[in-house]
Amino acid sequence: EIVMTQSPATLSVSPGEAATLSCRASQSVGSNLAWYQQTPGQAPRLLIYGASTRATGTPARFTGSGSETEFTLSISSLQSEDFAVYFCQHYNYLPPFTFGPGTKVDIK
Amino acid sequence: EVQLEQSGAEVKKPGESLKISCKASGYSFTTHWIGWVRQVPGKGLEWLGFIYPADSDTRYRPSFQGQVTMSVDKSITTAYLRWNSLKASDTAIYYCARVSGSWFSLPFDHWGQGTLVTVSS
């Protein structure tokens, strides 16, 4: 089973500032990596897939990058609706398709 | 519009059985895998497994094999997650989610609203 880790656990950012979230896989997952956003009381929402492709409706301020074992989600200028928990997930060929523990982005 | 509508919250006692549902609409039910994800409130997401509605091909996470059973009823485009004997540790929110294509090695592009299962004596 591939283990996904994320850092930091919590990121405190002021509105309008940029944020960078990291995700690491215990072995290569190629570009088979997705990012999800979860706001309180809501189901997760797909933001990025294929490591760098924005899902339908994902604003351009969200950018995914990376491959193999190291991935990054960048948010260029945080809006109020971006304060949430972000999870990465691999879906590389063989299940289980594990999630990272999440990074909470909160208001500084 | 793709929608996944899950059944309502449940409160059960340890040892009881339970089946929760996920009604799909707005797309061809048999051509997309449906997955199940568990979340203890305030915690992370755990991938349980998924099922292919066309032929009920099922893949479980090893740690959940034998603990839950996934099934579908194609006639009513509904997926199910069943427990035969609940434990307190099964207390969590359970989400169903649609895989974005007909191959399972793809992300979840639509999610249900979640079903809270509480197991307490």
Side-chain angles (χ1 to χ4, degrees):
Chain A
E1 176 174 310
I2 295 174
V3 176
M4 306 299 293
T5 56
Q6 292 185 242
S7 61
T10 304
L11 189 58
S12 296
V13 185
S14 299
E17 289 187 341
T20 301
L21 289 64
S22 296
C23 172
R24 177 175 291 179
S26 62
Q27 62 191 75
S28 176
V29 298
S31 294
N32 296 308
L33 191 284
W35 289 94
Y36 300 87
Q37 178 193 64
Q38 187 177 34
T39 53
Q42 300 297 312
R45 176 174 80 105
L46 178 65
L47 277 182
I48 301 282
Y49 63 94
S52 60
T53 302
R54 294 185 195 91
T56 302
T58 300
R61 62 181 179 273
F62 290 90
T63 302
S65 62
S67 64
E68 309 294 340
T69 61
E70 301 281 343
F71 301 89
T72 299
L73 176 68
S74 301
I75 312 172
S76 60
S77 175
L78 271 123
Q79 308 298 303
S80 57
E81 62 268 29
D82 301 335
F83 292 96
V85 181
Y86 293 85
F87 296 96
C88 61
Q89 181 206 20
H90 90 84
Y91 49 92
N92 190 50
Y93 296 114
L94 292 179
F97 296 148
T98 47
F99 292 89
T103 291
K104 181 179 181 181
V105 178
D106 65 16
I107 300 176
K108 189 174 183 180
Chain B
E1 178 193 5
V2 174
Q3 289 193 316
L4 298 172
E5 187 68 28
Q6 297 187 233
S7 50
E10 301 274 0
V11 180
K12 292 289 190 179
K13 290 180 166 40
E16 291 186 332
S17 63
L18 175 64
K19 191 175 187 179
I20 63 175
S21 65
C22 171
K23 166 73 175 173
S25 62
Y27 72 99
S28 176
F29 181 65
T30 55
T31 58
H32 292 258
W33 292 74
I34 291 278
W36 290 93
V37 176
R38 180 172 86 171
Q39 185 173 41
V40 173
K43 302 297 183 182
L45 302 172
E46 285 184 275
W47 186 92
L48 272 64
F50 43 31
I51 186 166
Y52 191 57
D55 59 6
S56 292
D57 184 8
T58 310
R59 313 293 171 93
Y60 294 97
R61 188 171 191 157
S63 54
F64 288 96
Q65 182 89 41
Q67 307 304 307
V68 296
T69 302
M70 298 175 193
S71 62
V72 297
D73 184 335
K74 291 186 288 187
S75 68
I76 55 171
T77 65
T78 299
Y80 301 96
L81 185 65
R82 187 183 85 235
W83 295 260
N84 288 330
S85 181
L86 286 159
K87 301 184 280 289
S89 57
D90 293 319
T91 295
I93 300 168
Y94 291 84
Y95 294 101
C96 63
R98 188 190 83 157
V99 173
S100 62
S102 58
W103 171 236
F104 62 62
S105 185
L106 290 167
F108 292 129
D109 64 350
H110 289 86
W111 294 66
Q113 82 277 22
T115 296
L116 175 62
V117 174
T118 303
V119 184
S120 175
S121 55

